[in-house]
Amino acid sequence: MELTLPPFDMPVELADVDLYDPQTYVLADQHPTWRTMRAKAPVWWQERTDATGFWCVTRHADCEKVVKDYRTFSSEEGTILASVGVGDTAGGQTITLTDPPEHAAIRVPSMRALGHAVVQDRTPIIQARITELVKPCDDGEVDFARLMRRLPMVLAGEFMGIPPEHWDDIALWAAACVAPDDPAYALGANPAQTLRLAHHQLFAVFRDLVRHRRAHPGKDLVSVLIESIDAMSGRDKPLGEWQVLLNCYSFILGANTTTPNVASHTLLALTQRPELWPRLRDDRGAVEGLVEEGVRWSSPTHHLVRRATADVELGGVTIRAGDWVAAWVASANRDEAVFDDPYTFDIDRRPNRHLGFGGGPHYCIGAPMSRLALTLLFEELVRRYAGFELTGPPTHLRSNWINGLVSLPVRQLGGNTACR
């Protein structure tokens, strides 16, 4: 989705708003709509013809409550708009679709597999892979968004023990699962067929990987999942084969929805603000600020969906038990009540209370790894190059869920002689 700046000249009529249609996010920036909703209708009902409607929550405080209060707003029936009215068949079986206390049975051991000591131990390997990843930029012009598809696999592939020869295919299939409506990722004649084919390919790879790890266990995340307890069964038994596969899928999608799109949107922001490049080169703290602001600015996940378990009042509106609620975290990350000059890209923003990685018990388990990869990436870019410029218009992802870039043609502006 294009990220424009005020003033927003065209008035937004709530009667014309459709936040479900994926094409909406290709055609226009939705921040004028969200700003209008925060001011006039912070908890607003999205009607859908011949389909289940849902509540839209747009203020930071209300979004934070929805994503943190798991007792009132459950994740078990689905967490994206595609689940509204139909649910998710993986409900109660994966880390993203399980509420506490059962949620901890997968999250706690997974966090050990992704813990600080493990990350520190593998940082040199990740650094080397990122150095190799950005080398195509040496040639001058490159599609940075396409290049960044591999960035999450540098992390997930390493921590899940996925052989590198599968990384490019998995990145493509994961993108097709995230945005089956986008023609750039079409694997079949229509979105439903694309989704089926992408699922088939991903689960085939995961099945082979799980079988290998059962025979040759290690300290990787897949081995941890195989040994995890199925808290939903009420008995002390490990996760079943299908549950392990579903959680592999969940982790891969999580990795591929945040990190690459933050990287691409952040570089796009830097092409529009070249004056920041010298400071980033000389100040590591500035790179850390860049990454945090890049997450807020891009808000790679437009929304997080929950389903109300009881009647609750939010923003002066009564939400009934069973209603679906979309917390528009992209809107929350521009809330004027929380962020000074929210439409300014400010790498010195402190504090930066964005919801780019979610919140509460479902706070993104991969957030520390994502921050590490993004920091290492931009440190490498500012070390190697004098900056970047656009060589053509960006192509935005056709998705109501992920704020992604399908294509970002750029050219590096020569070697960074100050660092050579």
Side-chain angles (χ1 to χ4, degrees):
M1 181 183 73
E2 185 179 0
L3 302 176
T4 54
L5 303 176
F8 302 128
D9 296 328
M10 298 296 291
V12 176
E13 297 293 337
L14 292 177
D16 299 329
V17 170
D18 182 359
L19 290 176
Y20 191 90
D21 183 4
Q23 185 65 13
T24 300
Y25 300 83
V26 177
L27 297 175
D29 182 1
Q30 295 307 302
H31 282 294
T33 297
W34 289 323
R35 187 173 71 163
T36 300
M37 294 172 73
R38 289 195 303 272
K40 297 182 177 180
V43 181
W44 179 77
W45 180 256
Q46 173 75 73
E47 192 69 45
R48 295 172 63 205
T49 304
D50 300 325
T52 303
F54 54 92
W55 292 103
C56 292
V57 178
T58 49
R59 287 180 179 169
H60 189 283
D62 294 335
C63 287
E64 194 169 37
K65 178 176 177 58
V66 170
V67 299
K68 288 185 174 181
D69 183 3
Y70 64 89
R71 293 182 178 86
T72 307
F73 300 100
S74 173
S75 299
E76 291 199 352
E77 294 190 55
T79 59
I80 62 175
L81 286 180
S83 300
V84 170
V86 295
D88 192 312
T89 56
Q93 301 183 75
T94 72
I95 188 171
T96 55
L97 296 168
T98 307
D99 292 324
E102 292 82 7
H103 174 77
I106 300 175
R107 186 178 183 91
V108 172
S110 297
M111 288 181 69
R112 287 198 293 268
L114 305 174
H116 181 69
V118 178
V119 172
Q120 271 198 325
D121 183 59
R122 299 196 181 186
T123 294
I125 298 173
I126 295 170
Q127 173 69 77
R129 292 195 186 278
I130 288 176
T131 298
E132 190 66 26
L133 176 67
V134 303
K135 279 185 178 179
C137 297
D138 288 353
D139 297 332
E141 189 168 343
V142 68
D143 187 334
F144 193 77
R146 187 177 180 86
L147 193 66
M148 287 300 102
R149 285 187 200 170
R150 209 169 215 254
L151 179 61
M153 295 309 302
V154 168
L155 299 172
E158 185 66 35
F159 285 90
M160 294 179 73
I162 301 172
E165 59 263 29
H166 294 308
W167 289 6
D168 289 333
D169 286 336
I170 288 175
L172 174 61
W173 298 330
C177 290
V178 166
D181 296 277
D182 196 299
Y185 302 120
L187 303 177
N190 54 58
Q193 190 177 67
T194 288
L195 202 55
R196 285 195 300 271
L197 290 170
H199 283 163
H200 174 78
Q201 300 283 15
L202 281 172
F203 279 91
V205 171
F206 294 148
R207 190 171 286 109
D208 289 343
L209 181 62
V210 169
R211 287 172 181 166
H212 178 74
R213 285 301 174 214
R214 288 193 186 279
H216 307 282
K219 296 182 179 180
D220 57 277
L221 185 56
V222 176
S223 297
V224 168
L225 289 172
I226 290 170
E227 296 173 357
S228 296
I229 299 300
D230 178 8
M232 298 294 286
S233 69
R235 299 188 299 275
D236 190 18
K237 68 172 188 177
L239 294 174
E241 182 87 356
W242 184 238
Q243 290 169 298
V244 173
L245 294 174
L246 285 171
N247 278 284
C248 288
Y249 174 79
S250 181
F251 278 112
I252 282 293
L253 247 62
N256 280 274
T257 53
T258 301
T259 310
N261 294 311
V262 172
S264 296
H265 272 293
T266 302
L267 188 74
L268 175 58
L270 289 173
T271 65
Q272 299 160 344
R273 300 162 180 83
E275 71 279 1
L276 292 176
W277 203 264
R279 183 179 165 199
L280 294 168
R281 180 193 64 216
D282 299 332
D283 181 0
R284 190 178 192 278
V287 174
E288 293 173 354
L290 170 76
V291 168
E292 215 59 39
E293 181 69 346
V295 177
R296 183 196 76 89
W297 183 256
S298 59
S299 296
T301 304
H302 289 310
H303 69 260
L304 295 169
V305 162
R306 302 290 188 263
R307 196 171 189 189
T309 61
D311 291 358
V312 60
E313 184 173 307
L314 194 66
V317 173
T318 299
I319 296 173
R320 300 296 181 187
D323 284 354
W324 295 85
V325 182
W328 291 95
V329 293
S331 172
N333 287 342
R334 294 290 196 281
D335 191 338
E336 298 84 351
V338 175
F339 302 101
D340 293 333
D341 298 321
Y343 297 95
T344 296
F345 187 86
D346 182 6
I347 65 174
D348 294 312
R349 191 178 296 280
R350 305 286 190 280
N352 197 336
R353 292 176 47 207
H354 66 76
L355 298 177
F357 290 115
H362 285 282
Y363 181 79
C364 178
I365 194 171
M369 289 192 302
S370 180
R371 287 187 171 102
L372 171 67
L374 290 164
T375 300
L376 293 175
L377 170 69
F378 282 100
E379 285 179 342
E380 184 70 14
L381 290 175
V382 299
R383 182 185 72 82
R384 295 173 71 94
Y385 309 117
F388 284 82
E389 65 180 4
L390 287 174
T391 59
T395 303
H396 297 273
L397 188 68
R398 191 174 190 269
S399 172
N400 61 19
W401 174 27
I402 299 301
N403 184 25
L405 285 165
V406 174
S407 178
L408 182 64
V410 296
R411 179 190 298 114
Q412 57 94 350
L413 300 177
N416 193 345
T417 55
C419 298
R420 293 180 180 229

